[in-house]
Amino acid sequence: MSKYDTEIASVQQSITGQQEKIRRLEVLAMKIQRKDEHIGTLPTRQLDLSHDFWQDKSDSVIRQVIQRRLQFWNNQNSLASELIQEIRTEINRAQNQVSDFQADVRYYTNLKQLEEKANV
């Protein structure tokens, strides 16, 4: 057993861990994307106010309430988009680490082969 075998095994475990992280992040991004799409389809311009609420209120109060509700849903939509962007950034980072780990495996494999040739 070469001294590089443990390094190769360690790096391969790191690759597996990063791939699992990427998979979980992609699932999370997909769930948030679905929620974002759902929020985007809500009929926020057609929000109903109960008759008891708006009775005896001025039009400006009703408009303010509707505007606040609309702003809330727009903020939810923006938040979902920001979360998706951050998750995508983290996925890219993890993919870069996987590439680096794969390069490390190739490096240690080459060193192991050179050591084996030298010992022959």
PDB file of all heavy atoms in Angstrom, residues 63-79:
ATOM      1  N   ARG A  63     -56.653  51.671  -0.125  1.00  0.00           N
ATOM      2  CA  ARG A  63     -55.508  51.608  -1.045  1.00  0.00           C
ATOM      3  C   ARG A  63     -54.205  51.341  -0.296  1.00  0.00           C
ATOM      4  O   ARG A  63     -53.349  50.594  -0.767  1.00  0.00           O
ATOM      5  CB  ARG A  63     -55.405  52.906  -1.850  1.00  0.00           C
ATOM      6  CG  ARG A  63     -56.321  52.940  -3.067  1.00  0.00           C
ATOM      7  CD  ARG A  63     -55.936  54.054  -4.038  1.00  0.00           C
ATOM      8  NE  ARG A  63     -56.056  55.387  -3.463  1.00  0.00           N
ATOM      9  CZ  ARG A  63     -57.189  56.100  -3.430  1.00  0.00           C
ATOM     10  NH1 ARG A  63     -58.284  55.607  -3.951  1.00  0.00           N
ATOM     11  NH2 ARG A  63     -57.211  57.298  -2.885  1.00  0.00           N
ATOM     12  N   GLN A  64     -54.062  51.951   0.875  1.00  0.00           N
ATOM     13  CA  GLN A  64     -52.853  51.726   1.669  1.00  0.00           C
ATOM     14  C   GLN A  64     -52.743  50.269   2.111  1.00  0.00           C
ATOM     15  O   GLN A  64     -51.660  49.676   2.047  1.00  0.00           O
ATOM     16  CB  GLN A  64     -52.842  52.632   2.898  1.00  0.00           C
ATOM     17  CG  GLN A  64     -52.560  54.076   2.608  1.00  0.00           C
ATOM     18  CD  GLN A  64     -52.705  54.943   3.858  1.00  0.00           C
ATOM     19  OE1 GLN A  64     -53.031  54.454   4.935  1.00  0.00           O
ATOM     20  NE2 GLN A  64     -52.463  56.241   3.696  1.00  0.00           N
ATOM     21  N   VAL A  65     -53.846  49.704   2.539  1.00  0.00           N
ATOM     22  CA  VAL A  65     -53.830  48.306   2.974  1.00  0.00           C
ATOM     23  C   VAL A  65     -53.485  47.392   1.807  1.00  0.00           C
ATOM     24  O   VAL A  65     -52.635  46.495   1.915  1.00  0.00           O
ATOM     25  CB  VAL A  65     -55.186  47.911   3.604  1.00  0.00           C
ATOM     26  CG1 VAL A  65     -55.275  46.412   3.815  1.00  0.00           C
ATOM     27  CG2 VAL A  65     -55.396  48.662   4.905  1.00  0.00           C
ATOM     28  N   ILE A  66     -54.112  47.616   0.675  1.00  0.00           N
ATOM     29  CA  ILE A  66     -53.836  46.798  -0.510  1.00  0.00           C
ATOM     30  C   ILE A  66     -52.394  46.981  -0.953  1.00  0.00           C
ATOM     31  O   ILE A  66     -51.711  46.015  -1.311  1.00  0.00           O
ATOM     32  CB  ILE A  66     -54.828  47.137  -1.645  1.00  0.00           C
ATOM     33  CG1 ILE A  66     -56.226  46.646  -1.255  1.00  0.00           C
ATOM     34  CG2 ILE A  66     -54.382  46.534  -2.969  1.00  0.00           C
ATOM     35  CD1 ILE A  66     -57.322  47.072  -2.205  1.00  0.00           C
ATOM     36  N   GLN A  67     -51.891  48.217  -0.890  1.00  0.00           N
ATOM     37  CA  GLN A  67     -50.502  48.486  -1.275  1.00  0.00           C
ATOM     38  C   GLN A  67     -49.532  47.757  -0.344  1.00  0.00           C
ATOM     39  O   GLN A  67     -48.527  47.200  -0.796  1.00  0.00           O
ATOM     40  CB  GLN A  67     -50.234  49.994  -1.268  1.00  0.00           C
ATOM     41  CG  GLN A  67     -48.875  50.374  -1.799  1.00  0.00           C
ATOM     42  CD  GLN A  67     -48.697  49.970  -3.254  1.00  0.00           C
ATOM     43  OE1 GLN A  67     -49.630  49.943  -4.041  1.00  0.00           O
ATOM     44  NE2 GLN A  67     -47.480  49.616  -3.607  1.00  0.00           N
ATOM     45  N   ARG A  68     -49.815  47.731   0.947  1.00  0.00           N
ATOM     46  CA  ARG A  68     -48.950  47.025   1.901  1.00  0.00           C
ATOM     47  C   ARG A  68     -48.943  45.531   1.632  1.00  0.00           C
ATOM     48  O   ARG A  68     -47.905  44.877   1.699  1.00  0.00           O
ATOM     49  CB  ARG A  68     -49.396  47.300   3.336  1.00  0.00           C
ATOM     50  CG  ARG A  68     -49.007  48.664   3.818  1.00  0.00           C
ATOM     51  CD  ARG A  68     -49.310  48.839   5.283  1.00  0.00           C
ATOM     52  NE  ARG A  68     -49.182  50.237   5.664  1.00  0.00           N
ATOM     53  CZ  ARG A  68     -49.981  50.862   6.489  1.00  0.00           C
ATOM     54  NH1 ARG A  68     -50.989  50.225   7.067  1.00  0.00           N
ATOM     55  NH2 ARG A  68     -49.791  52.131   6.774  1.00  0.00           N
ATOM     56  N   ARG A  69     -50.101  44.978   1.333  1.00  0.00           N
ATOM     57  CA  ARG A  69     -50.175  43.548   1.027  1.00  0.00           C
ATOM     58  C   ARG A  69     -49.403  43.241  -0.263  1.00  0.00           C
ATOM     59  O   ARG A  69     -48.669  42.254  -0.336  1.00  0.00           O
ATOM     60  CB  ARG A  69     -51.625  43.100   0.889  1.00  0.00           C
ATOM     61  CG  ARG A  69     -52.347  43.038   2.199  1.00  0.00           C
ATOM     62  CD  ARG A  69     -53.740  42.504   2.009  1.00  0.00           C
ATOM     63  NE  ARG A  69     -54.436  42.425   3.279  1.00  0.00           N
ATOM     64  CZ  ARG A  69     -55.663  41.965   3.401  1.00  0.00           C
ATOM     65  NH1 ARG A  69     -56.336  41.559   2.340  1.00  0.00           N
ATOM     66  NH2 ARG A  69     -56.234  41.910   4.588  1.00  0.00           N
ATOM     67  N   LEU A  70     -49.570  44.077  -1.238  1.00  0.00           N
ATOM     68  CA  LEU A  70     -48.850  43.894  -2.500  1.00  0.00           C
ATOM     69  C   LEU A  70     -47.347  43.997  -2.274  1.00  0.00           C
ATOM     70  O   LEU A  70     -46.564  43.192  -2.791  1.00  0.00           O
ATOM     71  CB  LEU A  70     -49.312  44.926  -3.524  1.00  0.00           C
ATOM     72  CG  LEU A  70     -48.690  44.844  -4.908  1.00  0.00           C
ATOM     73  CD1 LEU A  70     -49.009  43.504  -5.563  1.00  0.00           C
ATOM     74  CD2 LEU A  70     -49.197  45.988  -5.778  1.00  0.00           C
ATOM     75  N   GLN A  71     -46.924  44.950  -1.475  1.00  0.00           N
ATOM     76  CA  GLN A  71     -45.501  45.118  -1.166  1.00  0.00           C
ATOM     77  C   GLN A  71     -44.964  43.886  -0.429  1.00  0.00           C
ATOM     78  O   GLN A  71     -43.856  43.425  -0.706  1.00  0.00           O
ATOM     79  CB  GLN A  71     -45.294  46.371  -0.327  1.00  0.00           C
ATOM     80  CG  GLN A  71     -43.849  46.674  -0.019  1.00  0.00           C
ATOM     81  CD  GLN A  71     -43.704  47.960   0.789  1.00  0.00           C
ATOM     82  OE1 GLN A  71     -44.688  48.593   1.152  1.00  0.00           O
ATOM     83  NE2 GLN A  71     -42.480  48.323   1.066  1.00  0.00           N
ATOM     84  N   PHE A  72     -45.761  43.346   0.486  1.00  0.00           N
ATOM     85  CA  PHE A  72     -45.340  42.142   1.217  1.00  0.00           C
ATOM     86  C   PHE A  72     -45.057  41.000   0.248  1.00  0.00           C
ATOM     87  O   PHE A  72     -44.013  40.354   0.312  1.00  0.00           O
ATOM     88  CB  PHE A  72     -46.426  41.723   2.222  1.00  0.00           C
ATOM     89  CG  PHE A  72     -46.174  40.381   2.834  1.00  0.00           C
ATOM     90  CD1 PHE A  72     -45.262  40.244   3.860  1.00  0.00           C
ATOM     91  CD2 PHE A  72     -46.837  39.254   2.369  1.00  0.00           C
ATOM     92  CE1 PHE A  72     -45.021  39.002   4.424  1.00  0.00           C
ATOM     93  CE2 PHE A  72     -46.597  38.003   2.919  1.00  0.00           C
ATOM     94  CZ  PHE A  72     -45.695  37.879   3.955  1.00  0.00           C
ATOM     95  N   TRP A  73     -45.961  40.741  -0.688  1.00  0.00           N
ATOM     96  CA  TRP A  73     -45.777  39.631  -1.621  1.00  0.00           C
ATOM     97  C   TRP A  73     -44.639  39.908  -2.602  1.00  0.00           C
ATOM     98  O   TRP A  73     -43.905  38.992  -2.978  1.00  0.00           O
ATOM     99  CB  TRP A  73     -47.080  39.309  -2.359  1.00  0.00           C
ATOM    100  CG  TRP A  73     -48.054  38.663  -1.432  1.00  0.00           C
ATOM    101  CD1 TRP A  73     -49.224  39.192  -0.966  1.00  0.00           C
ATOM    102  CD2 TRP A  73     -47.921  37.387  -0.807  1.00  0.00           C
ATOM    103  NE1 TRP A  73     -49.831  38.329  -0.098  1.00  0.00           N
ATOM    104  CE2 TRP A  73     -49.053  37.208   0.025  1.00  0.00           C
ATOM    105  CE3 TRP A  73     -46.970  36.379  -0.849  1.00  0.00           C
ATOM    106  CZ2 TRP A  73     -49.246  36.061   0.782  1.00  0.00           C
ATOM    107  CZ3 TRP A  73     -47.166  35.238  -0.086  1.00  0.00           C
ATOM    108  CH2 TRP A  73     -48.290  35.087   0.713  1.00  0.00           C
ATOM    109  N   ASN A  74     -44.458  41.142  -2.978  1.00  0.00           N
ATOM    110  CA  ASN A  74     -43.313  41.479  -3.836  1.00  0.00           C
ATOM    111  C   ASN A  74     -42.006  41.241  -3.094  1.00  0.00           C
ATOM    112  O   ASN A  74     -41.024  40.771  -3.681  1.00  0.00           O
ATOM    113  CB  ASN A  74     -43.405  42.921  -4.321  1.00  0.00           C
ATOM    114  CG  ASN A  74     -44.456  43.115  -5.397  1.00  0.00           C
ATOM    115  OD1 ASN A  74     -44.858  42.156  -6.049  1.00  0.00           O
ATOM    116  ND2 ASN A  74     -44.916  44.333  -5.573  1.00  0.00           N
ATOM    117  N   ASN A  75     -41.986  41.579  -1.801  1.00  0.00           N
ATOM    118  CA  ASN A  75     -40.787  41.337  -0.997  1.00  0.00           C
ATOM    119  C   ASN A  75     -40.513  39.836  -0.867  1.00  0.00           C
ATOM    120  O   ASN A  75     -39.365  39.405  -0.898  1.00  0.00           O
ATOM    121  CB  ASN A  75     -40.925  41.961   0.387  1.00  0.00           C
ATOM    122  CG  ASN A  75     -40.834  43.468   0.353  1.00  0.00           C
ATOM    123  OD1 ASN A  75     -40.394  44.050  -0.631  1.00  0.00           O
ATOM    124  ND2 ASN A  75     -41.276  44.119   1.420  1.00  0.00           N
ATOM    125  N   GLN A  76     -41.581  39.046  -0.719  1.00  0.00           N
ATOM    126  CA  GLN A  76     -41.410  37.594  -0.637  1.00  0.00           C
ATOM    127  C   GLN A  76     -40.808  37.052  -1.929  1.00  0.00           C
ATOM    128  O   GLN A  76     -39.925  36.194  -1.912  1.00  0.00           O
ATOM    129  CB  GLN A  76     -42.760  36.913  -0.364  1.00  0.00           C
ATOM    130  CG  GLN A  76     -43.343  37.227   0.986  1.00  0.00           C
ATOM    131  CD  GLN A  76     -42.445  36.778   2.118  1.00  0.00           C
ATOM    132  OE1 GLN A  76     -42.042  35.624   2.172  1.00  0.00           O
ATOM    133  NE2 GLN A  76     -42.116  37.681   3.013  1.00  0.00           N
ATOM    134  N   ASN A  77     -41.277  37.560  -3.035  1.00  0.00           N
ATOM    135  CA  ASN A  77     -40.777  37.148  -4.341  1.00  0.00           C
ATOM    136  C   ASN A  77     -39.302  37.520  -4.492  1.00  0.00           C
ATOM    137  O   ASN A  77     -38.485  36.728  -4.967  1.00  0.00           O
ATOM    138  CB  ASN A  77     -41.624  37.790  -5.436  1.00  0.00           C
ATOM    139  CG  ASN A  77     -41.572  37.025  -6.721  1.00  0.00           C
ATOM    140  OD1 ASN A  77     -40.849  36.062  -6.845  1.00  0.00           O
ATOM    141  ND2 ASN A  77     -42.335  37.472  -7.693  1.00  0.00           N
ATOM    142  N   SER A  78     -38.943  38.719  -4.077  1.00  0.00           N
ATOM    143  CA  SER A  78     -37.543  39.171  -4.153  1.00  0.00           C
ATOM    144  C   SER A  78     -36.647  38.324  -3.259  1.00  0.00           C
ATOM    145  O   SER A  78     -35.530  37.963  -3.649  1.00  0.00           O
ATOM    146  CB  SER A  78     -37.430  40.636  -3.745  1.00  0.00           C
ATOM    147  OG  SER A  78     -38.100  41.451  -4.653  1.00  0.00           O
ATOM    148  N   LEU A  79     -37.139  38.017  -2.065  1.00  0.00           N
ATOM    149  CA  LEU A  79     -36.362  37.205  -1.132  1.00  0.00           C
ATOM    150  C   LEU A  79     -36.095  35.820  -1.715  1.00  0.00           C
ATOM    151  O   LEU A  79     -34.969  35.321  -1.650  1.00  0.00           O
ATOM    152  CB  LEU A  79     -37.105  37.074   0.201  1.00  0.00           C
ATOM    153  CG  LEU A  79     -36.442  36.191   1.250  1.00  0.00           C
ATOM    154  CD1 LEU A  79     -35.106  36.792   1.673  1.00  0.00           C
ATOM    155  CD2 LEU A  79     -37.355  36.028   2.452  1.00  0.00           C
TER     156      LEU A  79
END
